[in-house]
Amino acid sequence: MKDIRSQFQKNGFVVLEDFFQPEEIDELKFYGEEYTKNLPPENERKVFNTIENQQNKDQYFLDSAHKISMFFETEALEANGKLKVHPRVSLNKVGHALHWLNPTFRKYSFDERVKEAAFQLDYEEPAICSSMYIYKNPGIGSEVTMHQDATYFYTDPVKLVGFWIALEDATQENGCLWIAPGSHQSGVHRRYVRNKDPDSESLLVYDRAAPCYQLSNFRPVPVSKGTCILLHGQVVHFSYPNKSEKSRHAYTFHVIETQNVSYSKENWLQPPPGGFPKLYRN
């Protein structure tokens, strides 16, 4: 893990192979799959989609900040919430407080290896603000559009790192990440904030239109199971839909600096009453 800082500063991301051992990854995946066996009732099922953004209008999404909430693939549900696919491949993601409320995800989120990576990146008093289990199911795993994580978890100054952990091999066929190296040096391009307009249907809005990014600036980053990709909050990344027959499960969480850094009160996700859990102290 030596010298990850210079690589991180140069490219905006670092690939750490064998970050977790195969049996540790299998444990995370086992508990991720458990959620598919205990789905919410049909009338409470919500979709997550980065293209149509239905979640902007949804109190369920807003409330998910400090809960473990389930979000379905667009193609998995009928209009009435009935499943069109097997429950095992119906979920898009589970979030956003897995790192705190699920003992297994908590154990790995606050693992010494995570603390060491944050320490190497010069984090003085880091805290975990959000976490997600992402399924990227075969055939219906939806696209994640080009974005920066700082759009969603803005801090001033920006000091945010995403830990993206491959629970299965991530390939170009099943929807690995595509990253634009160096794109973290161009500031935060837009923000996703709580809507101040009391008459609007949308609880959450983007403060400006989506930027246009050149596809030629991105490169695929296929990784094997157990790899962790550290993502700078401003690096632009995306993933294609999964049209293959293999799933691409991943666990991801976001770490912010709390020392001499302010977390925006406009962000969609706000800290719980006691503040975000501190990485080094848990």
Side-chain angles (χ1 to χ4, degrees), residues 142 150 161 170 177-178 191 210 233 253 265:
S142 52
V161 56
L177 292 184
W178 286 65
R191 294 188 43 207
F253 55 93
K265 290 186 163 45

Side-chain angles (χ1 to χ4, degrees), residues 5-72:
R5 194 169 68 211
S6 57
Q7 209 182 329
F8 189 74
Q9 286 167 344
K10 179 177 173 230
N11 296 323
F13 71 100
V14 179
V15 175
L16 303 173
E17 291 178 352
D18 304 317
F19 190 73
F20 286 141
Q21 295 306 304
E23 60 277 11
E24 296 176 312
I25 292 295
D26 291 344
E27 187 181 3
L28 284 166
K29 195 172 161 209
F30 173 83
Y31 284 101
E33 289 179 335
E34 284 293 292
Y35 287 108
T36 69
K37 298 173 186 171
N38 191 15
L39 299 176
E42 286 172 11
N43 61 340
E44 291 175 22
R45 292 177 180 170
K46 304 289 182 184
V47 159
F48 183 84
N49 181 307
T50 65
I51 297 167
E52 290 151 35
N53 289 308
Q54 301 91 316
Q55 57 275 6
N56 293 2
K57 300 186 173 73
D58 221 328
Q59 190 66 40
Y60 181 83
F61 181 72
L62 210 50
D63 291 343
S64 69
H66 312 305
K67 293 182 177 173
I68 295 176
S69 302
M70 300 183 203
F71 298 91
F72 288 81

Side-chain angles (χ1 to χ4, degrees), residues 19-258:
F19 190 73
F20 286 141
Q21 295 306 304
E23 60 277 11
E24 296 176 312
I25 292 295
D26 291 344
E27 187 181 3
L28 284 166
K29 195 172 161 209
F30 173 83
Y31 284 101
E33 289 179 335
E34 284 293 292
Y35 287 108
T36 69
K37 298 173 186 171
N38 191 15
L39 299 176
E42 286 172 11
N43 61 340
E44 291 175 22
R45 292 177 180 170
K46 304 289 182 184
V47 159
F48 183 84
N49 181 307
T50 65
I51 297 167
E52 290 151 35
N53 289 308
Q54 301 91 316
Q55 57 275 6
N56 293 2
K57 300 186 173 73
D58 221 328
Q59 190 66 40
Y60 181 83
F61 181 72
L62 210 50
D63 291 343
S64 69
H66 312 305
K67 293 182 177 173
I68 295 176
S69 302
M70 300 183 203
F71 298 91
F72 288 81
E73 294 285 9
T74 311
E75 292 180 43
L77 293 184
E78 305 280 6
N80 62 4
K82 281 203 185 324
L83 286 182
K84 293 197 245 183
V85 296
H86 192 284
R88 200 159 45 86
V89 293
S90 63
L91 290 176
N92 171 292
K93 70 175 189 178
V94 172
H96 291 91
L98 279 169
H99 62 282
W100 196 241
L101 299 179
N102 176 303
T104 301
F105 288 95
R106 182 168 169 168
K107 175 174 75 173
Y108 290 111
S109 305
F110 291 87
D111 184 90
E112 289 304 318
R113 289 160 286 190
V114 173
K115 294 175 183 180
E116 177 63 22
F119 180 74
Q120 294 288 341
L121 294 177
D122 268 351
Y123 277 73
E124 290 175 52
E125 188 66 282
I128 301 183
C129 59
S130 165
S131 53
M132 292 181 289
Y133 190 101
I134 302 167
Y135 295 86
K136 201 81 166 179
N137 289 303
I140 62 166
S142 52
E143 172 186 358
V144 174
T145 54
M146 295 172 182
H147 69 282
Q148 300 169 298
D149 292 338
T151 290
Y152 304 95
F153 307 108
Y154 183 77
T155 65
D156 183 19
V158 173
K159 191 142 189 202
L160 164 72
V161 56
F163 284 72
W164 191 96
I165 296 157
L167 305 182
E168 299 178 299
D169 293 348
T171 64
Q172 284 199 57
E173 290 69 45
N174 71 2
C176 69
L177 292 184
W178 286 65
I179 305 175
S183 57
H184 64 299
Q185 290 167 1
S186 58
V188 177
H189 307 151
R190 67 171 178 165
R191 294 188 43 207
Y192 186 60
V193 294
R194 294 181 173 229
N195 194 355
K196 292 191 176 82
D197 177 358
D199 301 324
S200 170
E201 266 198 347
S202 291
L203 303 171
L204 300 162
V205 289
Y206 288 99
D207 67 347
R208 61 199 95 147
C212 288
Y213 298 114
Q214 285 290 111
L215 188 57
S216 57
N217 292 335
F218 292 81
R219 63 180 184 84
V221 185
V223 294
S224 55
K225 165 182 163 175
T227 300
C228 175
I229 303 177
L230 300 175
L231 293 162
H232 188 290
Q234 289 175 193
V235 80
V236 186
H237 57 288
F238 77 96
S239 63
Y240 282 113
N242 181 4
K243 297 298 180 198
S244 80
E245 291 172 9
K246 287 191 171 149
S247 57
R248 191 227 70 188
H249 289 206
Y251 175 56
T252 178
F253 55 93
H254 292 93
V255 171
I256 55 165
E257 176 66 274
T258 63

